[in-house]
Amino acid sequence: MAARRDFTRESLAAGVRAGDRRALARAITLVENSDPLAYEVVRDLYPETGRAYAIGITGPPGVGKSSLISALVRHVRDQDRTVGVISVDPSSPFTQGALLGDRIRLTDHFLDPEVFIRSMGTRGHLGGLAEATLQALLVLDAGGKDLVFLETVGTGQGEVEVIGIADTVVLVLMPGSGDSIQALKAGIMEIPDVIAINKMDHPAAKTMLNEVRSVLSLDKERAWKPPIVLTEAMRAEHVPELWEQVEAHRAFLESEGLLEEQRRKNLAGEVFAVASARAKAYLERAVADDPELRRLLDEVQSRALDPLTAVREILRKVFKLSGA
């Protein structure tokens, strides 16, 4: 295999296809850094993707997501399945710090050659973290991983975008946590396909189970009813049951012919999300570099011009859109 600095487009793509860890790491670093070589490599690999199953793991900070992923990885490795883990931290520019800090539980798997773990931060990526995560997922998919776990640190807009590319989304909650109750109130319950209430020994675990069940019962139209599993990640209790529910959701999607449809919809959504992010960045640069466009913003701020008129003028000049 080529030395790290000597990868070419062809050798890097070949290394990823072979599942070489150095090639996977290099390709994802290039993705994070918006390196042009990354786009070329992913373009070469893209026709060979679509085989990995992506599981999004989300929930408020501190509920034990990393411990739960570690236990799930151990469980699926016992089934001889290859695994990728992308731990996403939208709030921190220090991508390596997260891996050694709150993701310490995942270190149990670092020496397993069939498990590839990567922690990612924004790094100012042009298309946002969702774009970098999608590209990294495609790299691991092309690298032959059977399963890819996508972990996010919270349940904000950025995290929702990231897990929008997952096939099955697991929401992790913890009894006695104000954040978890807020998650219920904030409509987060529309996101998950499976719910894990971690730290099942907590006195309020059964109460929370009933609360979550009552919230879910309000959604009468959903064909798939998200199951709720009480877990204890540190002791791997009920982790096999949790994985059974993930597999049950996958079987449901496949039996109803929904998996391919959902993936098509998710990928289309990602195209629009990335295009929107890039268009926004382009607009901001264009306005910053053009005195006339900056004047329009000044007039809006001084209330001499209404916002929609300014929008029309900016789009007309930057994108040549006359009817905007």
Side-chain angles (χ1 to χ4, degrees), residues 175-255:
S177 164
D179 284 339
S180 293
I181 301 303
Q182 288 306 313
L184 295 176
K185 293 177 180 174
I188 295 299
M189 304 316 287
E190 298 168 11
I191 297 170
D193 303 301
V194 179
I195 296 168
I197 298 178
N198 196 30
K199 308 190 181 176
M200 58 187 279
D201 297 336
H202 192 286
K206 293 286 173 62
T207 302
M208 179 165 224
L209 175 67
N210 292 330
E211 286 177 349
V212 173
R213 196 170 276 153
S214 66
V215 171
L216 291 176
S217 68
L218 299 175
D219 188 353
K220 309 285 187 191
E221 298 179 9
R222 196 166 172 179
W224 169 262
K225 307 299 182 189
I228 310 165
V229 183
L230 290 167
T231 62
E232 176 42 68
M234 298 298 288
R235 298 195 303 270
E237 285 188 42
H238 292 188
V239 166
E241 288 83 352
L242 177 61
W243 184 250
E244 278 178 21
Q245 297 302 339
V246 172
E247 293 277 48
H249 180 248
R250 179 177 187 171
F252 167 78
L253 291 177
E254 290 174 340
S255 67

Side-chain angles (χ1 to χ4, degrees), residues 109-182:
H109 306 287
F110 280 176
L111 298 180
D112 186 340
E114 299 300 336
V115 178
F116 185 90
I117 300 169
R118 184 59 173 255
S119 187
M120 294 179 66
T122 52
R123 288 199 181 185
H125 203 282
L126 271 181
L129 199 52
E131 176 183 345
T133 308
L134 173 62
Q135 299 279 88
L137 170 62
L138 292 173
V139 167
L140 292 177
D141 189 349
K145 298 304 178 192
D146 299 319
L147 305 165
V148 179
F149 291 92
L150 304 170
E151 178 194 6
T152 69
V153 296
T155 48
Q157 182 59 41
E159 291 83 351
V160 170
E161 287 178 6
V162 167
I163 61 174
I165 57 179
D167 298 312
T168 295
V169 175
V170 178
L171 173 64
V172 186
L173 299 172
M174 182 180 76
S177 164
D179 284 339
S180 293
I181 301 303
Q182 288 306 313

Side-chain angles (χ1 to χ4, degrees), residues 32-113:
E32 284 190 288
N33 294 334
S34 302
D35 192 294
L37 180 57
Y39 298 115
E40 295 174 357
V41 170
V42 172
R43 187 163 62 229
D44 291 345
L45 296 170
Y46 187 68
E48 300 153 50
T49 61
R51 291 169 294 194
Y53 196 80
I55 304 102
I57 309 284
T58 191
V63 295
K65 294 186 295 294
S66 293
S67 298
L68 201 55
I69 290 174
S70 182
L72 284 167
V73 169
R74 191 174 298 109
H75 180 69
V76 298
R77 285 295 296 130
D78 287 343
Q79 301 172 0
D80 206 28
R81 298 163 96 170
T82 57
V83 181
V85 180
I86 302 172
S87 291
V88 178
D89 186 355
S91 62
S92 171
F94 306 109
T95 56
Q96 300 309 316
L99 191 57
L100 299 175
D102 56 336
R103 274 66 183 249
I104 195 73
R105 302 293 170 198
L106 292 169
T107 58
D108 295 348
H109 306 287
F110 280 176
L111 298 180
D112 186 340

